[in-house]
């Protein structure tokens, strides 16, 4: 069965409330009632409720930029999986490169978040990828294995069905640099092969793997034509409806 593509827009720490609602409505209107791929927007935490209201009854799903690994308690500043579900989230990001390399999250923390989110019923977009220094030392496959094994340890087959990978070449994020379709395909193929070795060919074949490195409407068609690229995690281009919808159209 072919893997259905997903285009998810990560707005990061951008937009005012009014801008978020306007953007969400424009994306929903442009996507229409029956898009050829799945579409999600991932606003900052404070705008989840108004964006959920703006998306009500549309084909666009809501996602969160992060989640905590506990259900409740004295964890000031954190947001639980249940809270995200209650405001209407279908997806959550886990392990984004900025969480790993700017905030300092560990592989162990990523694994705990993956488990908590999947156990609650969320779909997890798990971000993995190498830095420029790791790529220059030809360590990307070793990085994939470490990040994949650490994040997915202990998952059940049913949980894997709600897991999505996003390959982030960290050296391409926010730089305007994009891995060529051939380089991106090689990375996605290696990640899928690593999943097959660790968890079996059936899980590996069904796993969607998104590309997440400065994706644009111009680069999207070549990337999405590759056999192991199943959509995109879009950063800067997701902040303008027209630019984001161009990427969505490329995945149709």
């Amino acid at each position: 069965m072919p893997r259905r593509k997903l285009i998810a827009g990560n707005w990061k720490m951008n937009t005012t409330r009014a801008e978020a609602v306007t953007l969400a409505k424009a994306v929903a209107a442009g996507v229409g009632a029956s898009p050829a791929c799945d579409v999600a927007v991932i606003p900052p935490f404070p705008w989840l409720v108004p964006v959920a209201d703006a998306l009500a009854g549309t084909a666009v799903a809501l996602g969160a930029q992060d989640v905590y690994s506990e259900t409740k308690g004295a964890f000031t500043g954190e947001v639980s999986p249940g809270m995200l579900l209650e405001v209407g989230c279908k997806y959550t990001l886990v392990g984004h490169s900025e969480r790993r390399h700017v905030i300092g999250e560990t592989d162990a923390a990523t694994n705990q978040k993956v488990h908590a989110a999947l156990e609650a019923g969320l779909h997890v977009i798990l971000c993995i990828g190498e830095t420029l220094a790791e790529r220059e030392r030809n360590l990307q496959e070793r990085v994939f294995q470490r990040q994949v094994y650490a994040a997915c340890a202990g998952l059940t087959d049913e949980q894997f069905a709600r897991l999505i990978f996003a390959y982030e070449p960290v050296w391409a994020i926010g730089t305007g640099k994009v891995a060529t379709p051939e380089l991106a395909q090689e990375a996605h193929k290696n990640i899928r092969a690593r999943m097959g070795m660790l968890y079996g060919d059936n899980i590996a074949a069904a796993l969607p793997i998104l590309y997440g490195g400065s994706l644009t409407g111009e680069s999207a068609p070549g990337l999405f034509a590759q056999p192991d690229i199943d959509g995109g995690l879009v950063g800067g281009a997701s902040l303008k409806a027209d630019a984001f919808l161009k990427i969505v159209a490329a995945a149709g």
Side-chain angles (χ1 to χ4, degrees):
M1 182 177 178
R3 297 179 298 273
R4 184 172 169 86
K5 285 185 168 57
L6 167 65
I7 307 298
N10 176 18
W11 298 355
K12 305 190 180 183
M13 199 173 71
N14 295 296
T15 68
T16 64
R17 178 185 176 120
E19 289 168 346
V21 170
T22 299
L23 179 56
K25 288 180 176 179
V27 169
V31 164
S34 301
C37 64
D38 293 331
V39 181
V41 296
I42 308 175
F45 279 136
W47 313 148
L48 284 175
V49 171
V51 169
D53 291 342
L55 296 177
T58 76
V60 179
L62 182 67
Q65 295 180 15
D66 192 30
V67 65
Y68 196 56
S69 55
E70 299 290 341
T71 58
K72 62 180 180 179
F75 304 105
T76 300
E78 298 295 347
V79 179
S80 74
M83 292 173 180
L84 297 181
L85 286 167
E86 191 167 344
V87 299
C89 288
K90 178 179 180 179
Y91 300 98
T92 184
L93 298 179
V94 174
H96 191 279
S97 60
E98 290 154 7
R99 301 296 308 178
R100 295 177 187 268
H101 301 297
V102 179
I103 309 300
E105 286 189 359
T106 64
D107 287 334
T110 298
N111 177 255
Q112 292 171 345
K113 290 183 176 186
V114 168
H115 272 273
L118 291 174
E119 287 166 8
L122 288 163
H123 289 65
V124 170
I125 301 174
L126 173 64
C127 303
I128 62 174
E130 80 279 17
T131 64
L132 179 60
E134 288 166 338
R135 186 166 191 86
E136 288 177 340
R137 295 170 61 196
N138 203 32
L139 296 175
Q140 55 266 36
E141 290 190 39
R142 191 175 299 179
V143 171
F144 298 159
Q145 176 157 331
R146 188 198 80 235
Q147 292 179 341
V148 166
Y149 185 77
C152 298
L155 295 183
T156 66
D157 287 1
E158 186 277 333
Q159 288 174 323
F160 272 114
R162 285 182 285 109
L163 185 66
I164 300 151
F165 276 10
Y167 167 59
E168 299 183 292
V170 180
W171 47 270
I173 297 172
T175 65
K177 297 180 180 179
V178 180
T180 65
E182 293 74 22
L183 281 176
Q185 164 59 21
E186 179 185 13
H188 283 231
K189 183 179 179 180
N190 288 341
I191 293 165
R192 199 176 303 283
R194 193 66 57 186
M195 286 296 295
M197 292 170 59
L198 291 170
Y199 303 106
D201 291 340
N202 289 340
I203 285 175
L207 177 74
I209 307 176
L210 314 182
Y211 175 77
S214 294
L215 189 63
T216 66
E218 289 67 38
S219 62
L223 289 161
F224 295 165
Q226 304 302 312
D228 288 296
I229 298 179
D230 305 310
L233 178 60
V234 186
S238 70
L239 295 173
K240 295 183 178 179
D242 289 348
F244 184 66
L245 291 169
K246 190 172 182 180
I247 297 171
V248 171

